[in-house]
Structures are given as C-alpha cells and as structure tokens.
Amino acid sequence: MDFSSLPEVEIWYLIKSGNQQAFSYIYKTFSKDLYKYGHKFTQDTSLIEDVIQDLFVHIWDLKGNISIKNSIKFYLFACFRRELIKKVKISNKNESLDEVHSKFKWEMSFLEILDENQIILESRNKISLALDQIPLRQKEAIYLRYIQELSYDEISKLMNVQVPSVYNLIFKGLKKLKKILPFSRRSIKIGGLIFLFIQ
C-alpha cells in the first residue's frame, strides 16, 4: 500500500486499527526529522534515540486512545519536544534550559536551507557568526518553519507562544540574517521569502 498518497487521518485510522505497516511508515517518515530536531536541544545521541524509541512505543501502546485529526508530524514533534526537554533538564540540573539551548549546533540546518535553494554565501563560516547574533527562539522558529515546514499555528502551539509572536520571531530572525549575510540568490524559494518578507 502506498501510504504517502493517503490523508494523514486515514493513516492514523489504520494505526488505531493495529496496522503495523502504517505505523512503520510514520516511523520511517518522521524519525529522521525528530532526530535532527533533537540535536537542537542536546548532542547526547543516545538520549535522543531513547526518547524517539520511547515515544513510538508509547504511541503504539496507547494508539486506541490517541486522537490525531490533522497532522501526525505536529503531534510527534510536540510529544518529542516535551519529553526531550524534560530529560535534558534532568541531565543538566545545574544549568537552565537557555544555557543548554545555547550549545545547539544550528549551522548545518541553516546551511541546508541555503544549499537546497542554491543560495551561495561568500564565506560559509559567516553563517556561524551570523547565527550567534540571532536569539535562540528566533532560530528555532525559522528552523521549524523552513526546515520542518510546520505552519505558524503549529509552531505557536509547539513553542507555547501566540501566532503573532511566531511571525515576529521569524521576521526579526530573517531580517537579521539578511543584514549580516552577504549572499547572492540563484533561486527565490527561501531567498525570495527573506527579501519579500522583510522589505
């Protein structure tokens, strides 16, 4: 069965009915994205893998009681983010989440945006310097919007802020990137969004 052609509501119905192939499909589809997202909170690979594994075991065990009406991806990200942050806080008792958060490795994610859209930096190491000047929540909002392609409404729920705040976070982050990064555009997908959104 080609699960990619089915609406997510139907896929979740199959999972609730005990269809292991449908469950395997969502694991293969979303586990890599969860893993990448997890590295924005910690570099502890084992912890990330454990939380992902526990999440899917929990979902399968409670599948009959879980209701997903729209986005399976959003549900997974929301559950994963909550559980991972809880575990990170426990393993970093002497540090605030912001202090742990400041150790994120964002460069590869943002280079992925640039590479996919053929946006060329004059100097690649400038992305690191640029990202150091952008607040952490702005980076996370941009990451969720452009790498994970979540909606503004989903990001607001995930980050526990109002939708206008999400727009503001992304607006300010992109504006800062545009100001700092001397890139040339060869396509308009992201580059156009940056320029149109902030001019």
Side-chain angles (χ1 to χ4, degrees), residues 37-102:
Y37 187 42
H39 272 282
K40 303 300 175 285
F41 295 89
T42 177
Q43 297 305 301
D44 188 339
T45 300
S46 296
L47 178 61
I48 296 169
E49 292 175 347
D50 286 346
V51 173
I52 292 173
Q53 186 68 28
D54 290 346
L55 171 62
F56 279 95
V57 169
H58 179 75
I59 289 174
W60 180 254
D61 288 344
L62 298 179
K63 60 186 178 295
N65 299 320
I66 299 173
S67 178
I68 299 178
K69 297 180 180 179
N70 295 307
S71 172
I72 293 174
K73 181 175 184 176
F74 169 70
Y75 179 83
L76 292 174
F77 265 66
C79 293
F80 174 73
R81 186 182 193 272
R82 182 176 60 248
E83 289 305 310
L84 186 62
I85 287 176
K86 188 188 301 181
K87 295 288 179 63
V88 168
K89 284 181 177 179
I90 292 172
S91 63
N92 295 276
K93 293 179 181 179
N94 297 323
E95 297 178 293
S96 69
L97 184 59
D98 282 344
E99 288 172 330
V100 175
H101 209 271
S102 68

Side-chain angles (χ1 to χ4, degrees), residues 61-195:
D61 288 344
L62 298 179
K63 60 186 178 295
N65 299 320
I66 299 173
S67 178
I68 299 178
K69 297 180 180 179
N70 295 307
S71 172
I72 293 174
K73 181 175 184 176
F74 169 70
Y75 179 83
L76 292 174
F77 265 66
C79 293
F80 174 73
R81 186 182 193 272
R82 182 176 60 248
E83 289 305 310
L84 186 62
I85 287 176
K86 188 188 301 181
K87 295 288 179 63
V88 168
K89 284 181 177 179
I90 292 172
S91 63
N92 295 276
K93 293 179 181 179
N94 297 323
E95 297 178 293
S96 69
L97 184 59
D98 282 344
E99 288 172 330
V100 175
H101 209 271
S102 68
K103 298 174 184 176
F104 287 7
K105 297 296 183 183
W106 293 97
E107 289 87 348
M108 292 309 297
S109 296
F110 280 76
L111 284 173
E112 184 179 337
I113 293 178
L114 300 176
D115 285 339
E116 286 181 358
N117 295 277
Q118 298 179 334
I119 298 171
I120 309 302
L121 286 176
E122 291 178 4
S123 174
R124 279 298 175 87
N125 66 354
K126 288 184 178 179
I127 188 73
S128 179
L129 297 175
L131 292 174
D132 284 343
Q133 298 181 53
I134 298 175
L136 301 169
R137 290 176 71 78
Q138 290 179 14
K139 284 185 281 196
E140 184 176 5
I142 293 172
Y143 175 84
L144 291 171
R145 183 73 187 103
Y146 294 117
I147 293 287
Q148 296 302 333
E149 299 182 334
L150 296 186
S151 69
Y152 287 97
D153 184 58
E154 289 172 336
I155 296 170
S156 76
K157 293 174 182 175
L158 201 63
M159 297 181 67
N160 195 29
V161 296
Q162 297 297 314
V163 171
S165 296
V166 176
Y167 278 99
N168 193 45
L169 287 169
I170 293 174
F171 173 85
K172 288 184 176 179
L174 293 178
K175 187 174 182 179
K176 190 74 171 179
L177 279 177
K178 184 211 172 196
K179 183 177 180 180
I180 298 169
L181 296 177
F183 60 77
S184 59
R185 292 175 296 159
R186 293 184 181 177
S187 74
I188 63 170
K189 183 180 177 184
I190 296 298
L193 279 170
I194 292 174
F195 276 80

Side-chain angles (χ1 to χ4, degrees), residues 12-23 60 63:
W12 187 248
Y13 176 78
L14 290 171
I15 292 172
K16 285 174 71 74
S17 302
N19 189 306
Q20 293 184 351
Q21 289 181 318
F23 183 73
W60 180 254
K63 60 186 178 295

Side-chain angles (χ1 to χ4, degrees), residues 8 25-35 56 72-73 76-77:
E8 291 197 351
Y25 168 76
I26 69 164
Y27 178 82
K28 291 177 181 178
T29 301
F30 299 116
S31 60
K32 288 183 180 179
D33 286 339
L34 292 172
Y35 184 81
F56 279 95
I72 293 174
K73 181 175 184 176
L76 292 174
F77 265 66

